Amino acid sequence: MKYYEVKFGIVPMNNDARDILAAMAGEVGFETFEETDDGLTGYVQKGLFDENALEAIIKEFPFEGLEISYEVFEAEDKDWNEEWEQEGFEPILIGDDKIAIHDGRHLPKNNPEISIEIDAKMAFGTGTHETTKMMCRSILEFAESDKSSSYSVLDCGTGTGILSICALKLGARKALGYDIDEWSVDNARHNAVINRVDERFTSLLGDASILKNVEEKFDIVMANINRNILLTDMPVFKSKMTERSKLILSGFYTEDIPLLLEKAATLGLNLSSQKSDNNWACIILNQSAL
């Protein structure tokens, strides 16, 4: 993945302000941070970097008497998760141990109904993150609620492909995923092969605009992306739903739920259910007519 390295300066330096700046930057696409003596260094994928959004959070920063500056650099092109990849991750169990998510080095000790192997290329998208766990639980609940019918899935921001693979192993007849990162698209295809669902999985390179070339609609539309992208792309998600489709969203904090529901209401979508885990949230939306 290609990243920008953004060096933030805070004058005068304040630890609380640094924590809040990291939280606000995380809402506009930044993934990881390093503390510095005079502020913070943040890393954001090039495709997700929105300088206007960054300027807006600095302008709205809730501390008076502070000056926040920043410089943007090309991040070193390296594998930021190399050490993590070498170590892998312990199996993640979901839904009373019905689903086990694991890598090739750490196999589940129990005998789960569904076993999902993910080639450990990055931590986000293996099941270790709260949002991924909640999304998988939501897919499981959907599959268990209507076992009589197969369903189709649209996976927006597919990453490692874990959500599509989970849905396919739970009975989905097919899944279409897309991602702005070429590595993610290739890795999702690779993981689909590992899990023997590749014949029912398609992975496309691009953002939500690529869906203008997709005519079909889907029974489940799901996106585990940051709040601002969800708000921008929700109309496109809605256009790919039938009257009975579910829209499953995560990747944001519990305090962001009202903002997302306000946007959903303008599109004729209402809240069906919600989950939270460690202040991360997941919501499921229906068409208002149901």
Side-chain angles (χ1 to χ4, degrees):
M1 295 183 184
K2 304 294 185 180
Y3 282 80
Y4 284 128
E5 178 182 80
V6 181
K7 296 185 180 294
F8 295 96
I10 303 173
V11 180
M13 179 56 203
N14 181 299
N15 289 334
D16 290 338
R18 178 165 57 193
D19 292 342
I20 292 174
L21 178 59
M24 294 177 72
E27 292 180 354
V28 295
F30 282 74
E31 295 181 9
T32 57
F33 301 92
E34 297 175 353
E35 294 184 356
T36 62
D37 291 340
D38 58 354
L40 190 70
T41 298
Y43 297 91
V44 59
Q45 291 183 39
K46 284 188 174 182
L48 297 180
F49 182 57
D50 184 341
E51 191 157 13
N52 290 331
L54 181 60
E55 292 279 1
I57 66 169
I58 291 175
K59 183 178 180 180
E60 298 168 2
F61 199 72
F63 276 62
E64 295 183 0
L66 288 180
E67 179 181 345
I68 299 175
S69 60
Y70 69 91
E71 293 181 275
V72 182
F73 303 91
E74 294 270 351
E76 182 182 352
D77 189 9
K78 66 177 183 179
D79 185 350
W80 294 95
N81 297 288
E82 181 177 3
E83 181 178 348
W84 189 90
E85 290 173 22
Q86 292 173 353
E87 295 178 358
F89 63 99
E90 292 298 322
I92 306 299
L93 302 177
I94 294 171
D96 295 327
D97 299 354
K98 290 185 177 181
I99 301 173
I101 302 169
H102 60 91
D103 65 14
R105 303 177 185 86
H106 305 85
L107 302 179
K109 295 179 181 179
N110 61 347
N111 187 26
E113 293 180 21
I114 303 294
S115 176
I116 301 173
E117 181 176 337
I118 296 298
D119 193 6
K121 293 296 184 182
M122 63 180 181
F124 195 93
T126 59
T128 59
H129 197 277
E130 291 90 343
T131 60
T132 312
K133 294 177 187 176
M134 288 188 289
M135 293 289 285
C136 287
R137 287 204 304 271
S138 298
I139 297 167
L140 174 61
E141 291 165 4
F142 179 91
E144 290 182 334
S145 68
D146 188 359
K147 295 183 179 180
S148 62
S149 63
S150 61
Y151 52 95
S152 59
V153 170
L154 175 61
D155 185 2
C156 308
T158 192
T160 60
I162 185 172
L163 300 181
S164 286
I165 293 167
C166 180
L168 289 166
K169 288 203 164 190
L170 285 167
R173 66 178 183 275
K174 64 178 177 179
L176 171 67
Y178 69 85
D179 203 289
I180 62 171
D181 184 78
E182 185 175 359
W183 176 91
S184 292
V185 172
D186 290 340
N187 186 239
R189 292 171 181 157
H190 171 68
N191 286 325
V193 171
I194 291 175
N195 289 276
R196 300 180 181 179
V197 296
D198 51 300
E199 292 185 358
R200 293 180 286 145
F201 177 66
T202 302
S203 185
L204 303 177
L205 177 62
D207 59 17
S209 65
I210 201 172
L211 295 177
K212 66 184 179 182
N213 300 318
V214 177
E215 294 184 1
E216 63 191 296
K217 296 190 176 184
F218 301 84
D219 300 300
I220 295 180
V221 178
M222 53 190 180
N224 186 12
I225 320 176
N226 76 65
R227 182 198 69 184
N228 288 348
I229 293 179
L230 293 177
L231 290 169
T232 299
D233 291 349
M234 207 183 298
V236 183
F237 301 160
K238 164 69 183 302
S239 72
K240 295 304 170 184
M241 297 172 64
T242 69
E243 291 184 354
R244 301 191 62 82
S245 297
K246 303 284 187 183
L247 176 58
I248 308 175
L249 303 177
S250 194
F252 51 90
Y253 300 112
T254 54
E255 53 264 33
D256 296 322
I257 291 176
L259 186 60
L260 287 158
L261 293 183
E262 181 180 351
K263 178 67 175 182
T266 68
L267 299 170
L269 299 170
N270 61 14
L271 181 66
S272 171
S273 64
Q274 69 183 63
K275 299 177 177 65
S276 62
D277 187 349
N278 224 9
N279 203 40
W280 291 98
C282 175
I283 59 176
I284 300 178
L285 302 169
N286 291 330
Q287 301 271 27
S288 296
L290 296 182

